[in-house]
Amino acid sequence: MTTMTTKPGLAARLSALTKVVELGAGRLDKKLLDEATALLLQAGDRLKLSSEHTVVALAGGTGSGKSSLFNAISGLDLSPTGVRRPTTARTHACVWGFDGTGPLLDWLQIQERHRFSRASALDKGDGQLHGLILLDLPDHDSIRALADTEADRLIGMADLVVWVLDPQKYADASTHRRYVTELAGHDAVTVFALNQSDRLTTEELAELVIDLNDLLRREGVEHPSVVPTSAVTGRGIESLKSVISAAVGRRRAAIQKLEADLARLERRISESMPLGEALSAPSSVDEARRMGLADALCDAVGVPAVGDAMESVYAERSNRWVGWPYPRWFGKFRSDPLKSLRLDDVGKEVRNIATAAVSAQSAEVANAVQALADGVSVGMHRVWRSAVQKAARSNARKLPQTLTDDLAAVAPPLDRVPAWWTLLRVWQYVLVLAFVAGLAWLAVGLFMPDQVPPALELLGDSEALPWVGLMTVAVLGLGALSGVASRNFVELGAARERERLEREMRRRVAAVSTTMVVEPVEAELTRHQAFYTALRDLSG
């Protein structure tokens, strides 16, 4: 048995359909997904089976003479016929060239007792049919056939279908509505046998053939193949056998059937989700949108407010270290409005500010996420647009709390005293001591000059007192000047700390937004791009 070799186009389209099924799960209509899955399974099975045999099914309604036509083509009385009711309850198969057909007939689920072989080499004139598996299907409109769906199943599995129509019911709605309208694109693997032509005059038959052709074209069969036949007189039997033998000889019917099935399914999927400009949609979130989301989330969690609070707290805490001591000491004698800041636990204060901001602005977090999803999904099919929005909100419940926890971990290092603060404090207390010493010198020189011991007579020297007074005033001025200068340096340091804190907070917000929002959205955008790329490849 030789398995079928597909042409590159069919293999690529089947691969594309596989991707469409995988990527369309939860997006495409379930019925379309089921049909696509079934087609992939059927294609895989058929391509593994004999490529030397062509499965031709005779399908038709009750009373169309289908079984008689089957017997006429095979030249044997194989399928029972009847007048009052359909007698073909199970499918019969006549095989020209039986070797290697076992797996194929098993796949078709043809019962052993309904399989018949024709040794074509012994049958003069039938050599061209070698490789044919002719099926006589149950009547598609019988009660029993509808119950077990055998006719429907085999119509879908056959490589070529011959629809047997009788003159009275050739336009029967059940046939055309359920089957013929689904045959668009299957012209190469579909034949219509207008049977029982012996009941018509030549003029009536010609009129019916024209009418049937027009009807089929209106239903989407662009190039219908109509063959008038009569199982009674043998009229048209050879013509029908020639059409069938041509298909058998090309060994292409199975491939053509799969190609037509793929084309029909592709049209239905495209109608459900038109390709249009879908491939122009972004496959990733651009940097501008990433930054926009991070900025919006920073505003939502109050990063600027935390920065302001940190800068204020940093500056006020520095007063305890680098401010000129005398103003601070005198300030203790008046009420201090800064006590309400509870500066003893700066880290806790800043954490509380950040936590309160996140909790209070969860609605703004949701709005920022929604804005990103809406922006990247513009122009998408509503199903994919909804999927992108769902992906963006996939971590909506955890996002505010994650931002809270992550930002609360960014504790400003305000419990650390810079080395220059300590040095400046020592310097200022040296000046304080110098100022106190100067005042003491002046007091001794002015009020107790005669009580100065000889060893410290310089303290009572009246000529030195002006210089001591000048130095004392200078020390006081130098201390005040160093306090002002240190204040300026502290403000610069506070600004740098604020920038560092905001930069770190923004980095963390950007990292959280990337992990919890951008990456799920990009996964959906990538899936969208891959789906429509596969759909484009499916169209060939």
Side-chain angles (χ1 to χ4, degrees), residues 334-341:
R334 53 188 173 85
S335 59
D336 187 1
L338 297 179
K339 289 182 179 180
S340 61
L341 293 176

Side-chain angles (χ1 to χ4, degrees), residues 53 70 74-76 78 92-99 101 105 112-123 130 132-134:
H53 291 84
F70 176 83
S74 65
L76 299 171
L78 301 176
H92 294 72
C94 184
V95 181
W96 282 256
F98 204 77
D99 291 342
T101 61
L105 291 170
E112 293 278 356
R113 61 194 181 93
H114 293 150
R115 301 177 185 181
F116 307 98
S117 174
R118 285 296 303 265
S120 59
L122 303 177
D123 295 302
H130 183 77
L132 169 64
I133 299 178
L134 185 65

Side-chain angles (χ1 to χ4, degrees), residues 33-171:
L33 283 175
D34 291 344
E35 291 182 14
T37 301
L39 178 56
L40 286 171
L41 292 174
Q42 179 178 322
D45 290 342
R46 182 64 184 95
L47 293 174
K48 293 176 185 177
L49 298 170
S50 175
S51 63
E52 300 300 318
H53 291 84
T54 301
V55 180
V56 178
L58 297 181
T62 304
S64 62
K66 172 173 51 59
S67 295
S68 298
L69 196 61
F70 176 83
N71 292 335
I73 295 174
S74 65
L76 299 171
D77 190 13
L78 301 176
S79 186
T81 60
V83 177
R84 297 181 179 274
R85 59 182 178 85
T87 55
T88 309
R90 290 297 175 190
T91 302
H92 294 72
C94 184
V95 181
W96 282 256
F98 204 77
D99 291 342
T101 61
L104 182 53
L105 291 170
D106 291 340
W107 178 64
L108 294 170
Q109 298 179 27
I110 307 300
Q111 296 177 0
E112 293 278 356
R113 61 194 181 93
H114 293 150
R115 301 177 185 181
F116 307 98
S117 174
R118 285 296 303 265
S120 59
L122 303 177
D123 295 302
K124 185 178 180 180
D126 276 353
Q128 73 274 17
L129 295 179
H130 183 77
L132 169 64
I133 299 178
L134 185 65
L135 305 181
D136 180 19
L137 304 186
D139 301 327
H140 69 76
D141 55 356
S142 71
I143 297 175
R144 183 169 182 175
L146 290 174
D148 61 24
T149 68
E150 183 172 354
D152 288 350
R153 179 178 63 82
L154 289 171
I155 287 170
M157 298 175 72
D159 302 329
L160 184 146
V161 177
V162 177
W163 285 97
V164 182
L165 308 174
D166 67 86
Q168 288 77 29
K169 298 191 296 182
Y170 71 93

